[in-house]
């Protein structure tokens, strides 16, 4: 998990207009909350936060440096500009070492390129919901499909983390994750020119005999 330290400052103002002014000043508003933490309105440097989000997303963790104290927290929500994709607002949840957290961890498939042109991956689930202590947090579940064949499938209960005592899976064990199916092979239709090249010119029956008759009928 990430151990990035993000510097934050308290903000005393809230509201849409105030948030716009913060963004104009290259700052991103956010909130930090937790079971043992009051809801804190905070603000981050836009460049520093954007750099963090290049390799992190919802479910990633960081140490929030606030008033000289580091608070271990997890990203719960990120709002972005729909066009520029710059962060507009971010929510962090402070974590307690002795308190379990519920989170949906995304699946990351490895080896898609080895399926070739005849097989494709059909996905049924984007991730698995788990409950763990902060020390056992994971940010993804990698699934290797490099050597998969037609008809191969996997369910939640077949994941490696299902055998890990420190991770409690909340999703149904019988839920399917993926299936390997055949790709629809599309044959391009022949063009008119290609069709013409493959056809033989029809033989004109009686053409030579008609020409011969015309020559015989001509007077000498």
């Amino acid at each position: 998990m990430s151990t990035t330290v993000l510097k934050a400052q308290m903000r005393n103002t809230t509201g849409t207009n105030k948030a716009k002014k913060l963004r104009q000043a290259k700052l991103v508003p956010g909130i930090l909350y937790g079971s043992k933490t009051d809801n804190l309105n905070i603000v981050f440097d836009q460049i520093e936060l954007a750099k963090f989000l290049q390799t992190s997303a919802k479910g990633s963790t960081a140490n929030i440096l606030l008033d000289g104290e580091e608070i271990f927290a997890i990203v719960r929500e990120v709002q972005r500009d729909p066009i520029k994709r710059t962060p507009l607002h971010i929510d962090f949840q402070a974590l307690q070492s002795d308190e379990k957290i519920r989170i949906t961890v995304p699946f990351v498939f490895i080896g898609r390129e080895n399926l070739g042109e005849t097989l494709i991956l059909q996905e049924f689930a984007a991730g698995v919901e788990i409950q763990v202590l902060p020390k056992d947090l994971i940010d993804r579940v990698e699934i290797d499909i490099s050597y998969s064949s037609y008809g191969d499938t996997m369910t939640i209960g077949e994941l490696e983390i299902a055998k890990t005592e420190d991770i409690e899976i909340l999703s149904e064990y019988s839920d399917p994750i993926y299936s390997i199916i055949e790709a629809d092979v599309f044959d391009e239709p022949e063009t008119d020119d290609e069709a013409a090249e493959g056809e033989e010119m029809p033989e004109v029956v009686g053409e030579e005999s008609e020409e011969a008759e015309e020559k015989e009928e001509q007077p000498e």
Side-chain angles (χ1 to χ4, degrees):
M1 300 296 291
S2 172
T3 55
T4 301
V5 176
L6 284 176
K7 296 179 182 178
Q9 296 179 355
M10 294 293 297
R11 61 184 173 98
N12 299 321
T13 58
T14 59
T16 303
N17 292 332
K18 299 296 183 181
K20 287 182 179 179
K21 290 183 178 180
L22 287 173
R23 296 181 189 116
Q24 290 173 355
K26 301 299 181 181
L27 298 173
V28 179
I31 188 171
L32 176 65
Y33 63 90
S35 61
K36 298 180 181 179
T37 303
D38 294 333
N39 290 359
L40 303 176
N41 294 312
I42 54 180
V43 66
F44 298 90
D45 177 79
Q46 185 185 72
I47 296 177
E48 184 180 0
L49 183 61
K51 184 178 180 181
F52 166 71
L53 292 175
Q54 284 179 353
T55 56
S56 305
K58 185 177 179 179
S60 298
T61 57
N63 288 318
I64 308 300
L65 181 59
L66 182 65
D67 293 336
E69 178 187 359
E70 287 191 8
I71 304 172
F72 186 52
I74 186 171
V75 178
R76 278 304 195 181
E77 197 66 47
V78 181
Q79 297 177 24
R80 294 179 180 270
D81 184 281
I83 298 176
K84 298 180 181 179
R85 304 304 299 163
T86 52
L88 299 178
H89 192 280
I90 188 166
D91 294 357
F92 277 98
Q93 179 184 353
L95 302 179
Q96 304 297 324
S97 60
D98 59 346
E99 188 174 277
K100 288 188 175 182
I101 181 174
R102 295 178 60 160
I103 184 174
T104 298
V105 183
F107 295 132
V108 176
F109 292 94
I110 301 172
R112 289 174 184 260
E113 64 281 1
N114 294 332
L115 294 179
E117 298 180 355
T118 59
L119 299 176
I120 59 175
L121 171 68
Q122 184 178 32
E123 298 179 46
F124 299 115
V128 56
E129 187 178 15
I130 63 173
Q131 182 168 273
V132 295
L133 289 172
K135 68 180 182 65
D136 299 315
L137 267 174
I138 55 176
D139 59 2
R140 67 180 65 190
V141 175
E142 294 186 349
I143 301 176
D144 191 351
I145 57 171
S146 301
Y147 304 101
S148 296
S149 304
Y150 169 70
D152 286 354
T153 61
M154 176 178 275
T155 63
I156 296 293
E158 295 176 291
L159 293 170
E160 285 297 322
I161 62 170
K163 307 171 187 176
T164 304
E165 295 182 356
D166 296 328
I167 298 177
E168 179 184 356
I169 293 181
L170 302 180
S171 301
E172 291 292 336
Y173 274 50
S174 59
D175 286 351
I177 298 174
Y178 74 88
S179 177
I180 303 298
I181 62 175
E182 288 184 338
D184 292 330
V185 180
F186 177 73
D187 294 328
E188 294 186 3
E190 291 184 347
T191 63
D192 293 340
D193 292 340
E194 291 173 339
E197 290 178 1
E199 295 180 357
E200 295 182 358
M201 294 300 293
E203 180 181 354
V204 180
V205 179
E207 182 176 346
E208 294 183 358
S209 59
E210 289 178 0
E211 291 180 354
E213 290 178 0
E214 289 178 359
K215 290 181 179 180
E216 291 178 357
E217 292 176 359
Q218 292 179 359
E220 297 180 357

